[in-house]
Amino acid sequence: NAVIGTNEVTIIEILAHRTIAQRLKIKEAFKQSVGKELVDCLKSELTGNFEKVAVGLMMPAPVYDAYELRNAIKGAGTEEACLIDILASRSNAEMKEIVATYKKENDKSLEDDICGDTSGMFQRVLVSLLTAGRDESTKVDEAQAVQDAKDIYEAGEARWGTDEVKFLTVLCVRNRNHLLRVFQEYQKISGRDIEDSIKREMSGCLEDVFLAIVKCLKNKPAFFAERLYKSMKGLGTTDSVLIRIMVARAEIDMLDIKAEFLKIYGKTLHSFIKGDTSGDYRKILLELCGGEK
């Protein structure tokens, strides 16, 4: 069993200080030299949250996302937070890779699995996000932006009951620059931030997914900073969220997330992780987080 002769320090050094491309090379070399899969060895020798981080770090981004989605769906009860964190924040290109990878790894389509596990308007928003069809141009159609803001206002604040489809159509289809303009117009028309209106008009997972979409459009690193903060503040730690974000964003926007965290909460992400975790789990997360600044 003890093929790697568990030396946690070495594992942390190797996994946290390499890029995913380098880790995949290490994985190949390991298999070549000992005739076993490195991931299987990690699984048999490590435990708990440390194991989860180590195993996650051995997967390329779309594989890790697909793996997390599968786990969120297949358990007893769905972990909606995971579906929202991933699907509301990935680019079209990332989403297409996730969908393809999921199919390859599970012999089932992600859409079918999500439809089997969610319902109503929440399901419809996720299905829309899965199509990875958001306009990715940068052009703002002024007249359309005003119209979109009016449509959302009339679908929500201005009437009894909310026409959620209107929100879906605007928030899931239009490009980012256009939507930032829509949000400004919305503020003018309604006197409220779009986020406040979503909170007033909706509840549960639907509220969560629309808020996540809006926050990611406004400032994605700030969205992840808030998710990390909420996973640690108060009693207990939501390790699933902490691990997922630290592993998935390590090579993408961790520096930006750290900067936003400090700006919003006045404390470093490093100090939060340090105070909230322990042992090798803490060590590897702090390595992924990078310096104390």
Side-chain angles (χ1 to χ4, degrees):
N1 187 13
V3 180
I4 21 183
T6 320
N7 177 345
E8 278 83 1
V9 178
T10 313
I11 292 172
I12 292 169
E13 282 290 319
I14 291 173
L15 293 185
H17 291 167
R18 301 288 191 286
T19 64
I20 184 63
Q22 291 170 320
R23 289 195 290 266
L24 293 175
K25 284 205 181 89
I26 291 168
K27 194 171 151 182
E28 274 311 295
F30 184 90
K31 184 150 85 170
Q32 206 178 353
S33 57
V34 301
K36 273 185 89 168
E37 282 287 358
L38 177 54
V39 173
D40 294 338
C41 294
L42 291 172
K43 281 180 179 166
S44 70
E45 300 202 12
L46 308 177
T47 55
N49 290 324
F50 180 48
E51 176 195 343
K52 286 178 188 156
V53 176
V55 169
L57 286 172
M58 295 309 299
M59 300 179 196
V63 176
Y64 183 62
D65 282 345
Y67 169 81
E68 283 287 290
L69 290 166
R70 181 74 194 113
N71 288 337
I73 292 167
K74 75 166 199 239
T78 311
E79 197 204 331
E80 286 91 1
C82 172
L83 303 184
I84 295 169
D85 278 351
I86 295 175
L87 301 181
S89 65
R90 303 307 191 249
S91 69
N92 288 355
E94 288 166 336
M95 192 73 86
K96 288 187 175 113
E97 279 198 77
I98 292 166
V99 169
T101 305
Y102 192 95
K103 183 100 175 121
K104 199 172 90 202
E105 304 272 329
N106 300 296
D107 282 336
K108 289 215 251 337
S109 90
L110 177 53
E111 187 185 323
D112 289 347
D113 275 359
I114 282 177
C115 285
D117 239 38
T118 57
S119 61
M121 193 51 71
F122 176 56
Q123 178 192 92
R124 287 169 64 173
V125 173
L126 297 183
V127 168
S128 170
L129 292 171
L130 283 176
T131 62
R134 180 185 298 285
D135 168 20
E136 284 187 338
S137 74
T138 52
K139 69 175 203 308
V140 177
D141 177 335
E142 279 298 331
Q144 185 64 53
V146 174
Q147 190 56 52
D148 284 344
K150 274 204 185 105
D151 286 349
I152 296 182
Y153 178 65
E154 281 161 14
E157 290 282 0
R159 56 176 295 211
W160 184 250
T162 308
D163 176 8
E164 288 117 350
V165 182
K166 272 281 187 286
F167 280 82
L168 187 161
T169 306
V170 175
L171 293 178
C172 296
V173 178
R174 309 278 191 263
N175 74 59
R176 175 169 183 261
N177 284 6
H178 180 86
L179 282 166
L180 294 177
R181 189 75 196 83
V182 172
F183 300 157
Q184 285 175 341
E185 278 303 319
Y186 186 85
Q187 177 87 43
K188 263 193 225 164
I189 298 170
S190 68
R192 277 207 177 82
D193 188 283
I194 181 84
E195 288 180 38
D196 294 333
S197 285
I198 291 170
K199 286 179 193 154
R200 285 163 52 95
E201 298 293 316
M202 302 179 196
S203 61
C205 297
L206 187 62
E207 174 188 343
D208 293 340
V209 74
F210 277 138
L211 280 177
I213 291 168
V214 169
K215 286 173 179 174
C216 284
L217 287 162
K218 286 182 177 175
N219 182 338
K220 199 178 286 184
F223 167 75
F224 286 120
E226 183 190 4
R227 296 289 295 138
L228 286 167
Y229 176 77
K230 287 187 168 160
S231 77
M232 291 182 279
K233 80 165 181 40
L235 286 174
T237 307
T238 313
D239 292 296
S240 58
V241 176
L242 179 55
I243 293 168
R244 180 165 56 246
I245 295 174
M246 294 305 292
V247 170
R249 307 314 288 185
E251 277 178 56
I252 301 177
D253 50 6
M254 188 54 68
L255 286 172
D256 299 325
I257 291 169
K258 283 165 64 176
E260 290 295 339
F261 194 96
L262 183 58
K263 199 165 95 188
I264 303 166
Y265 303 109
K267 293 207 175 73
T268 64
L269 176 58
H270 194 280
S271 69
F272 249 72
I273 292 171
K274 196 172 174 183
D276 238 53
T277 55
S278 60
D280 292 317
Y281 173 47
R282 173 203 273 168
K283 281 182 200 149
I284 199 162
L285 287 182
L286 290 178
E287 290 295 339
L288 289 176
C289 177
E292 301 192 10
K293 287 284 169 286

